[in-house]
Amino acid sequence: MAFQDFDVISERRRNEQRQKLKKRIIIGVVSTILLVGIIGAAFFVATTEYGFGGNNAKEGHDQDSSTSSRQHVQHSEKMVKLVCSNASYKDKCEGPLNKAVKDDPKLSNPKDLLKTYVKYAEEEVNKAFNKTNSFKFESEEEKGAFEDCKQLIRDAKDDLATSISELGKIELSKLSSRSPDLNSWLSAVISFQQTCVDGFPEGKLKNDIQGLFNGTNEFISNSLAIVSQVSTVLSTFQTLASGRLLLSENSNSPAASLDSDGFPSWVHVDDRRLLKAADNRPKPNVTVAKDGSGDFKTISEALNKIPATYKGRYVVYVKEGVYDEQVTVTKKMQNVTMYGDGSQKSIITGSKNFRDGVRTFQTASFVVLGDGFLGLAMGFRNTAGPEGHQAVAARVQADRSVFANCRFEGYQDTLYTQTHRQFYRSCIVAGTIDFIFGDAAVVFQNCIMVVRKPMDNQQNMVTAQGRMDKHQPTGIVLQKCTIKADPSLIPVKDKIRSYLGRPWKEFSRTIVMESEIGDFIHPDGWTPWMGNFALNTLYYAEFNNNGPGASTNARVKWPGYKVINRDEASKFTVGTFLRGSWVQGSGVPAVQGFYK
């Protein structure tokens, strides 16, 4: 599937865009001045609802120091009550913060309270992991799982450190706009910890490790709740300050998302040229070719030569060929673009699988850890087959990762959308059981999900989403996708049941909208994981789908399943669900709202 051709933007349109930008800057400056003026009032009004501001008539310049101190404590306690009002574990939220404000009277700013609380969460993660040193790991499986766990906890600590660092830099008035970043980092901490636990075999050891991280997950859950609460208050007053002028310039409606060229209006002219035609490729920093015609014969060699201090986007061109190697884009390899000659021509492949004793986390043929990854026209395979059970083709952990015109082929657990924010455009994903799984905030747009034939005693599930906590902003969204049966499945589609998904974790969330669903999907639509697990807490939704398998008349009757309306579905469009500038800066076309 090649990129569509588009004309170059006219000079007139560029001038119009400059005028719009100028107008937005003026509005932004005025709004910022207004916002700074009322930011204190915002939280004063909010805390008043929690009892602050009682005996104002008695407050005067003659107030003695003890009264002033007491009122400061009262104000701080009310502020703590406000920021913790949405927390699931209120005692664990209010208790530490009340102690913190008594120890440090300067802690009355909600942003500083949030930063303090995330530091507590960081301490809890350290305490929990340090306790694992007292455990004895007897089997090779347990030892291997612990090695994975050490890396995962390092990743969790990195995201916590980033959150704390950024909270130290963000102005209070900017906190709302940065909440998507904070939510992504904090949510990933829960995912990393749970992936650590999931790696251990069932038994007492696994239960003990789960118990260690339960407390830290509660701290992270509360941190997410505080971000949401503070952002909501700020957003309300930002809207009042700007008179909604900025919002009217930034509509997420379909009409606003595409201009006359067919691109989203935010796609830069240089990115349009990059995507103008299939043969208009970015100039590579390095070229990989199996036949020796490039700079390297393997992709791993090329990645290992990326300069440690390289600034900008590093481009790796992979010529046609099947590259049988386990490729990892490390955390240090940020803003890497990798493109091939086509998803069925430039292919990364492997066959590691659970049947052969490899942990699911380690089976991926391709792993992306470095933020800002962009993959174009590449194929990723795991050839273990259905007999290999869990066998991942690609594991994506990187924040702000984008794939376009790519193909992911496997059977069980094909694509592991592990953490953070991800976007897939015009891709093909093929598999059998839970073949799109993980705990990222991810949107698949204009993609094809090909359901293959599993083993005779198995069923197919397209998705298995792993949201652990109701405050996590994660979920799997399939928008304008086609869910179809592979030719191998068609003859037995009435014998082998296929479903849209099942709940891997307690707050599993998956939305299928504006998509075409084939007739092989069971009328129930969704299937349980085990018994009644998560049926009350999951969020599964369908909106405006079509095709012979799209009827919702016979769908499951679970409390968490919904047929949603347009307003509810709008929460899961790219412009809303994947907020932030990272999709917009990738150059990959994306419909921000609905298709129609």
Side-chain angles (χ1 to χ4, degrees):
M1 194 178 298
F3 289 115
Q4 186 177 357
D5 284 326
F6 298 96
D7 296 328
V8 179
I9 298 176
S10 65
E11 183 64 30
R12 177 180 177 183
R13 188 172 295 127
R14 284 197 291 269
N15 289 334
E16 290 174 352
Q17 290 175 343
R18 292 191 190 102
Q19 290 300 318
K20 288 181 180 179
L21 178 60
K22 183 178 180 180
K23 181 179 179 180
R24 289 175 183 172
I25 291 173
I26 293 173
I27 293 172
V29 170
V30 173
S31 298
T32 299
I33 293 172
L34 289 171
L35 182 61
V36 170
I38 68 168
I39 200 69
F43 282 94
F44 176 82
V45 172
T47 52
T48 297
E49 295 184 6
Y50 285 84
F52 173 62
N55 194 13
N56 290 329
K58 295 181 179 179
E59 296 176 4
H61 293 290
D62 59 345
Q63 191 174 45
D64 61 37
S65 59
S66 62
T67 302
S68 177
S69 176
R70 184 169 61 253
Q71 289 177 338
H72 177 81
V73 171
Q74 290 175 344
H75 166 73
S76 297
E77 289 176 347
K78 301 308 178 185
M79 184 65 74
V80 167
K81 199 170 187 65
L82 170 65
V83 300
C84 291
S85 60
N86 197 34
S88 297
Y89 311 96
K90 283 189 171 59
D91 290 344
K92 189 167 281 187
C93 185
E94 294 179 3
L97 284 180
N98 279 328
K99 181 179 184 303
V101 296
K102 288 178 181 178
D103 293 342
D104 184 358
K106 295 179 180 178
L107 285 177
S108 58
N109 182 312
K111 187 204 74 171
D112 292 335
L113 290 176
L114 172 58
K115 180 181 177 182
T116 298
Y117 197 77
V118 176
K119 285 183 178 179
Y120 283 136
E122 183 181 45
E123 291 173 4
E124 289 298 312
V125 170
N126 288 330
K127 289 178 186 176
F129 186 71
N130 288 340
K131 289 180 181 179
T132 63
N133 292 323
S134 63
F135 290 178
K136 292 183 178 180
F137 304 102
E138 304 290 349
S139 69
E140 289 303 314
E141 186 178 4
E142 291 173 349
K143 292 176 183 177
F146 186 58
E147 288 303 311
D148 291 345
C149 194
K150 287 192 286 188
Q151 179 57 59
L152 287 160
I153 298 304
R154 280 195 292 268
D155 291 337
K157 291 164 69 173
D158 284 347
D159 276 358
L160 282 168
T162 300
S163 301
I164 293 167
S165 175
E166 291 302 309
L167 280 168
K169 301 173 186 176
I170 302 171
E171 296 177 9
L172 177 59
S173 61
K174 304 292 185 183
L175 183 60
S176 182
S177 64
R178 294 298 305 278
S179 63
D181 296 328
L182 293 167
N183 283 332
S184 179
W185 298 324
L186 293 170
S187 178
V189 175
I190 294 177
S191 301
F192 289 137
Q193 291 182 157
Q194 190 57 44
T195 304
C196 161
V197 175
D198 288 343
F200 289 91
E202 295 297 328
K204 183 179 183 303
L205 177 63
K206 182 173 183 174
N207 293 336
D208 289 344
I209 292 175
Q210 179 71 74
L212 284 180
F213 289 122
N214 283 340
T216 65
N217 284 340
E218 291 175 2
F219 269 92
I220 300 300
S221 173
N222 284 345
S223 298
L224 287 164
I226 295 172
V227 172
S228 175
Q229 179 67 7
V230 175
S231 296
T232 297
V233 175
L234 284 171
S235 295
T236 301
F237 281 87
Q238 284 173 326
T239 300
L240 293 173
S242 65
R244 294 188 180 271
L245 288 173
L246 290 178
L247 292 179
S248 66
E249 296 277 350
N250 190 30
S251 173
N252 284 325
S253 68
S257 63
L258 299 178
D259 65 13
S260 60
D261 289 317
F263 276 106
S265 59
W266 37 255
V267 176
H268 191 272
V269 62
D270 292 336
D271 294 323
R272 295 167 190 248
R273 292 193 185 103
L274 168 63
L275 299 170
K276 186 178 177 183
D279 59 355
N280 188 4
R281 309 289 184 86
K283 182 179 179 181
N285 295 85
V286 292
T287 297
V288 181
K290 285 182 68 87
D291 61 9
S293 62
D295 302 300
F296 301 97
K297 289 185 178 181
T298 70
I299 299 169
S300 296
E301 286 179 304
L303 291 174
N304 289 335
K305 293 297 182 181
I306 296 178
T309 58
Y310 189 83
K311 294 183 179 180
R313 184 158 285 278
Y314 196 87
V315 180
V316 179
Y317 167 41
V318 181
K319 283 189 173 184
E320 181 175 352
V322 177
Y323 297 82
D324 189 354
E325 53 177 308
Q326 190 168 35
V327 176
T328 300
V329 180
T330 69
K331 290 186 72 172
K332 293 181 179 180
M333 300 173 186
Q334 299 195 1
N335 299 317
V336 170
T337 293
M338 182 182 294
Y339 72 91
D341 287 325
S343 64
Q344 298 189 78
K345 293 182 178 180
S346 301
I347 300 165
I348 297 172
T349 189
S351 60
K352 291 185 176 182
N353 62 85
F354 185 80
R355 177 199 58 196
D356 291 343
V358 183
R359 298 175 304 283
T360 304
F361 182 72
Q362 297 289 358
T363 61
S365 306
F366 182 67
V367 178
V368 185
L369 308 178
D371 293 348
F373 178 83
L374 175 58
L376 306 170
M378 290 286 300
F380 309 96
R381 289 179 182 167
N382 190 307
T383 59
E387 299 83 7
H389 299 288
Q390 296 94 323
V392 179
R395 175 168 66 88
V396 184
Q397 177 182 308
D399 194 19
R400 296 171 287 106
S401 51
V402 177
F403 291 83
N405 293 353
C406 290
R407 180 182 291 257
F408 304 85
E409 297 178 59
Y411 285 85
Q412 184 173 350
D413 292 359
T414 302
L415 177 55
Y416 189 179
T417 56
Q418 186 183 355
T419 56
H420 295 114
R421 295 166 288 186
Q422 305 177 24
F423 178 65
Y424 297 75
R425 169 79 179 198
S426 301
C427 292
I428 295 173
V429 190
T432 55
I433 301 170
D434 306 335
F435 67 91
I436 300 173
F437 75 110
D439 193 26
V442 55
V443 175
F444 293 85
Q445 193 175 86
N446 195 40
C447 293
I448 300 174
M449 282 67 193
V450 181
V451 183
R452 293 174 141 179
K453 181 181 179 296
M455 291 191 290
D456 292 340
N457 62 341
Q458 294 179 331
Q459 300 181 118
N460 289 318
M461 283 71 65
V462 177
T463 66
Q465 206 279 328
R467 186 165 168 253
M468 290 284 298
D469 187 271
K470 68 179 182 179
H471 295 295
Q472 287 182 278
T474 57
I476 295 172
V477 179
L478 310 183
Q479 183 187 19
K480 196 61 175 179
C481 292
T482 299
I483 302 170
K484 60 185 290 186
D486 184 82
S488 65
L489 178 64
I490 292 175
V492 293
K493 66 180 182 180
D494 294 330
K495 297 179 181 179
I496 295 176
R497 291 187 174 187
S498 297
Y499 300 91
L500 297 173
R502 61 174 177 165
W504 184 25
K505 301 297 180 184
E506 188 175 359
F507 291 90
S508 181
R509 180 163 66 176
T510 302
I511 298 88
V512 182
M513 60 187 189
E514 297 188 295
S515 295
E516 181 180 341
I517 303 175
D519 63 355
F520 67 100
I521 293 295
H522 192 276
D524 286 354
W526 311 83
T527 188
W529 183 271
M530 184 180 295
N532 292 322
F533 172 73
L535 302 189
N536 292 319
T537 50
L538 60 76
Y539 182 97
Y540 283 171
E542 297 182 56
F543 168 73
N544 200 24
N545 296 311
N546 61 81
S551 174
T552 58
N553 293 335
R555 289 294 196 249
V556 293
K557 305 302 181 185
W558 305 338
Y561 170 76
K562 305 175 186 299
V563 177
I564 56 177
N565 60 27
R566 190 178 184 87
D567 286 343
E568 179 73 7
S570 68
K571 299 176 184 177
F572 303 102
T573 57
V574 171
T576 304
F577 191 57
L578 298 181
R579 290 183 300 163
S581 60
W582 62 278
V583 174
Q584 300 155 336
S586 71
V588 171
V591 175
Q592 294 289 286
F594 294 109
Y595 273 78
K596 60 182 179 178

